[in-house]
C-alpha cells in the first residue's frame, strides 16, 4: 500500500484542522491506512472536497507521469473497500453507532467522488454493488424506525369513541370553541394550537353523533382559520345549541 499518493503531515504540525495524513512527530508509514481513515473521519464535512483536491495537487506535483484518473481510481478504491468492510459488520457489533457514523461519512465521500468521476469508474460492478448495499442498509434502518414510530403511535389508538346524542353536535362544538378562549389566572391561553384543523380532526376522530361519524367539511365552517376575519363561509353556533357556558371557578378558601 503506497502512501506516496497523499501529503504527509509536516513534522511538528499540531494544527487541529489539518487535512494531511499522519502524526505531527513520527509515524510508521506501514500504518498508512489507519492514519488515512483517521483523517477521513475527523475532518469537517464541508472539507471533504478540499481534502480530495489537496491530496490530488500533492500527487500530481510529485508524480510527473501521474494523472488525476490514476489518483481518482486509487482514492476511490480506498473509500469503496472500507465502506464494504463497515457494511459487512453485524448491527449488534459493540461499535455499531461508531460504524454507522463512519458509513455515513464514507457515503459523503463517495457522493463527492461520483460528482468528479469523468471516467465512470464508479459504475463498475463492485462500486454499484457497494452503493446498493449501502442504500439497502439505509432503507432497512428507515423501515425499522418507521415500525417503531408506528407501534408507538398505535399504542395511543382506540376503537372506542365519545358518542354525542343525535342533534347535540353543535352544543359540543360550542364547548370546544369556548375551550379555545379559556385563559389561566396569569392570562395565558389554557389550550393553544397553531391551526383550527387540530380541533376539527380531534372531534372527527374521537367523537360520533348518534354513533355516526362527524363529517370534517360539515364542521369546518364553525372553525375559521382567522377569527378576526372569519370570512363569508363562516357560521356561528346557533343560539339554541349554546347550552353550556364554561366559566372560571371561584377560588376556594
Amino acid at each position: 500500500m503506497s502512501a506516496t499518493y497523499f501529503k504527509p503531515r509536516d513534522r511538528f504540525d499540531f494544527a487541529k484542522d489539518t487535512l494531511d495524513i499522519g502524526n505531527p512527530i513520527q509515524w510508521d508509514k506501514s500504518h498508512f491506512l489507519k492514519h488515512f481513515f483517521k483523517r477521513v473521519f475527523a475532518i469537517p464535512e464541508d472539507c471533504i472536497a478540499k481534502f480530495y483536491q489537496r491530496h490530488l495537487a500533492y500527487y500530481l506535483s510529485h508524480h510527473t507521469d501521474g494523472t488525476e484518473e490514476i489518483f481518482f481510481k486509487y482514492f476511490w478504491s480506498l473509500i469503496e473497500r472500507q465502506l464494504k468492510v463497515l457494511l459487512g459488520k453485524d448491527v449488534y457489533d459493540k461499535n455499531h453507532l461508531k460504524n454507522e457514523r463512519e458509513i455515513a461519512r464514507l457515503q459523503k465521500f463517495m457522493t463527492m467522488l461520483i460528482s468528479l468521476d469523468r471516467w465512470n469508474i464508479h459504475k463498475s460492478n463492485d462500486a454499484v454493488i457497494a452503493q446498493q448495499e449501502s442504500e439497502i442498509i439505509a432503507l432497512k434502518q428507515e423501515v425499522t424506525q418507521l415500525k417503531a414510530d408506528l407501534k408507538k403511535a398505535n399504542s395511543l389508538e382506540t376503537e372506542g369513541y365519545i358518542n354525542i346524542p343525535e342533534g347535540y353536535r353543535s352544543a359540543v362544538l360550542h364547548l370546544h370553541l369556548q375551550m379555545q378562549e379559556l385563559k389561566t389566572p396569569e392570562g395565558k391561553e389554557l389550550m393553544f394550537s397553531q391551526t383550527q384543523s387540530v380541533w376539527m380532526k380531534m372531534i372527527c376522530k374521537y367523537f360520533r353523533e348518534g354513533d355516526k361519524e362527524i363529517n370534517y367539511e360539515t364542521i369546518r365552517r364553525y372553525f375559521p382559520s382567522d377569527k378576526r376575519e372569519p370570512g363569508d363561509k363562516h357560521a356561528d353556533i346557533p343560539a339554541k345549541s349554546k347550552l353550556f357556558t364554561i366559566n372560571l371557578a371561584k377560588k376556594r378558601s
Side-chain angles (χ1 to χ4, degrees):
M1 184 61 62
S2 175
T4 62
Y5 281 65
F6 300 90
K7 185 180 186 304
R9 189 170 186 171
D10 291 334
R11 198 171 177 81
F12 304 117
D13 173 14
F14 293 97
K16 294 183 179 180
D17 59 351
T18 183
L19 300 178
D20 299 338
I21 311 300
N23 289 328
I25 303 296
Q26 185 177 1
W27 58 287
D28 189 344
K29 298 299 189 294
S30 65
H31 295 158
F32 160 74
L33 274 183
K34 181 181 74 173
H35 291 282
F36 173 80
F37 284 108
K38 181 179 179 181
R39 188 63 55 223
V40 162
F41 297 132
I43 63 174
E45 187 175 314
D46 58 1
C47 288
I48 288 176
K50 186 178 178 182
F51 179 84
Y52 172 85
Q53 295 297 338
R54 180 173 179 79
H55 292 287
L56 169 63
Y58 174 83
Y59 168 78
L60 294 176
S61 68
H62 286 73
H63 297 79
T64 55
D65 57 344
T67 65
E68 182 176 357
E69 182 179 1
I70 295 173
F71 177 80
F72 183 96
K73 284 181 179 179
Y74 186 64
F75 196 110
W76 175 272
S77 68
L78 294 180
I79 300 298
E80 181 185 41
R81 185 167 59 182
Q82 185 62 16
L83 181 57
K84 283 183 179 180
V85 170
L86 292 174
L87 289 173
K89 292 192 175 184
D90 196 300
V91 294
Y92 296 107
D93 187 287
K94 64 179 181 179
N95 294 319
H96 175 64
L97 293 179
K98 176 174 177 288
N99 295 340
E100 289 300 305
R101 288 195 298 270
E102 293 182 352
I103 286 172
R105 171 51 60 90
L106 294 179
Q107 288 172 334
K108 293 286 186 182
F109 265 87
M110 294 194 86
T111 299
M112 180 274 296
L113 290 171
I114 289 172
S115 71
L116 301 175
D117 187 5
R118 306 190 302 273
W119 314 275
N120 288 326
I121 293 168
H122 74 279
K123 292 184 178 180
S124 67
N125 289 337
D126 287 346
V128 171
I129 291 172
Q131 185 67 19
Q132 289 175 339
E133 289 177 345
S134 175
E135 291 172 357
I136 289 171
I137 287 178
L139 288 172
K140 286 182 177 179
Q141 291 173 338
E142 184 177 354
V143 168
T144 300
Q145 184 60 51
L146 288 173
K147 285 183 177 179
D149 293 342
L150 181 60
K151 183 178 180 180
K152 183 178 180 181
N154 286 339
S155 67
L156 300 177
E157 289 294 335
T158 175
E159 295 181 0
Y161 51 81
I162 301 171
N163 195 41
I164 303 168
E166 190 76 36
Y168 286 89
R169 182 191 64 197
S170 294
V172 173
L173 297 183
H174 183 231
L175 290 173
H176 283 84
L177 290 168
Q178 289 184 76
M179 285 190 285
Q180 295 185 39
E181 304 300 325
L182 297 178
K183 295 185 181 297
T184 66
E186 297 78 23
K188 296 181 180 179
E189 291 175 294
L190 183 63
M191 288 175 276
F192 173 78
S193 66
Q194 292 287 351
T195 65
Q196 289 294 296
S197 64
V198 175
W199 291 88
M200 292 183 284
K201 289 177 180 179
M202 178 182 67
I203 292 168
C204 292
K205 185 171 184 178
Y206 296 111
F207 288 78
R208 296 288 186 274
E209 182 184 9
D211 291 314
K212 296 179 182 178
E213 291 187 0
I214 297 173
N215 187 284
Y216 183 90
E217 295 300 326
T218 301
I219 67 172
R220 179 191 287 234
R221 63 180 183 273
Y222 299 113
F223 294 85
S225 57
D226 188 344
K227 294 180 181 180
R228 293 170 298 183
E229 297 183 13
D232 298 334
K233 295 182 179 180
H234 169 65
D236 193 13
I237 300 293
K240 64 179 182 179
S241 296
K242 296 180 179 180
L243 302 178
F244 308 98
T245 302
I246 302 175
N247 293 313
L248 185 67
K250 294 181 179 179
K251 292 184 178 180
R252 296 180 180 180
S253 57

